[in-house]
Amino acid sequence: MRSLNLTIMKRISFLLALLFLLSNSSDAQRKRNRAPAYTPVDTTLYQGLKWRNIGPFRGGRSVACSGVVSDPMTYYMGGTGGGVWKTQDGGISWKNISDGQFATGSVGAIGVSESDPNVIFVGMGEHAVRGVMTSNGDGVYKSTDAGETWIHVGLNKSMHISDVIIDPRDPDVVFVSVQGALYGPSGERGVYKTTDGGQTWRKVLFV
């Protein structure tokens, strides 16, 4: 009886060891077949590339630019004194799309909707504070036809807008960061939110 028990124990131990080995082998096989977390890039492929100025050459300083997620050739650029410019050929040519429609020319931020690239929000007023001069703006402008026409949608006293963030799923939900008056107290300072495409704004953060 004792020898029989020993034999059974040995067989059980053997089976457990075999299962353990098979499990480890299967895990190792899965790890080998799994794609790497990233694909290394051969840096020699772009060593010959150099930065170059592609314009626009009438826009002045710029603190605002945005591309279109669904179209890698279309970009918008905002000048601190030159309004909004658009390219649809990757920077080969640029067109001013705000002249005659904006009351001020200093652009601080541009947001293009991911879910509807026809919807663009532009926050006015240069936000990079400079000792000599920082041009202010007059709030937020909106386009629903990819920059062909614009309407003013409020925040008139914002002075300087540093960022515009549009909800990637809903072009009516937008956050705008407002600096207000740069050199003194300002009740306009903070983060504003709209859920109706700019018809109304609510301050959601103020310090």
Side-chain angles (χ1 to χ4, degrees):
M1 178 67 83
R2 186 177 177 183
S3 62
L4 179 62
N5 286 341
L6 283 173
T7 303
I8 292 172
M9 291 297 291
K10 285 179 180 178
R11 287 181 178 176
I12 290 173
S13 297
F14 174 75
L15 286 172
L16 288 173
L18 184 61
L19 285 172
F20 177 76
L21 289 172
L22 287 173
S23 174
N24 279 353
S25 174
S26 176
D27 284 345
Q29 184 67 32
R30 277 198 297 270
K31 286 177 182 176
R32 278 196 299 272
N33 292 336
R34 191 181 302 152
Y38 68 95
T39 303
V41 176
D42 182 2
T43 57
T44 61
L45 294 174
Y46 54 82
Q47 282 181 350
L49 297 178
K50 294 180 180 179
W51 290 99
R52 60 191 176 90
N53 189 344
I54 58 172
F57 302 103
R58 292 283 188 144
R61 299 188 314 279
S62 175
V63 292
C65 65
S66 183
V68 178
V69 172
S70 57
D71 181 1
M73 299 299 281
T74 299
Y75 296 88
Y76 298 88
M77 180 283 254
T80 60
V84 178
W85 298 70
K86 179 179 182 179
T87 178
Q88 292 179 282
D89 51 21
I92 294 174
S93 61
W94 293 85
K95 175 186 176 184
N96 184 287
I97 57 174
S98 63
D99 279 1
Q101 300 191 68
F102 287 15
T104 56
S106 181
V107 177
I110 300 174
V112 181
S113 169
E114 291 185 35
S115 57
D116 183 358
N118 288 312
V119 176
I120 308 164
F121 283 83
V122 173
M124 304 302 289
E126 178 183 4
H127 62 77
V129 181
R130 305 169 73 237
V132 286
M133 183 185 69
T134 305
S135 304
N136 60 280
D138 63 329
V140 180
Y141 287 85
K142 176 186 179 182
S143 174
T144 56
D145 52 14
E148 291 294 323
T149 59
W150 299 89
I151 57 171
H152 188 268
V153 291
L155 299 183
N156 305 47
K157 298 180 181 179
S158 55
M159 300 289 285
H160 305 273
I161 294 177
S162 60
D163 212 350
V164 174
I165 303 294
I166 304 174
D167 187 315
R169 299 158 300 181
D170 186 350
D172 285 335
V173 178
V174 184
F175 293 87
V176 172
S177 58
V178 172
Q179 290 175 299
L182 297 179
Y183 304 107
S186 174
E188 302 295 328
R189 196 169 287 145
V191 177
Y192 289 79
K193 179 183 180 180
T194 179
T195 56
D196 53 17
Q199 294 181 51
T200 59
W201 294 89
R202 180 169 61 95
K203 189 187 293 184
V204 294
L205 177 66
F206 176 77
V207 177

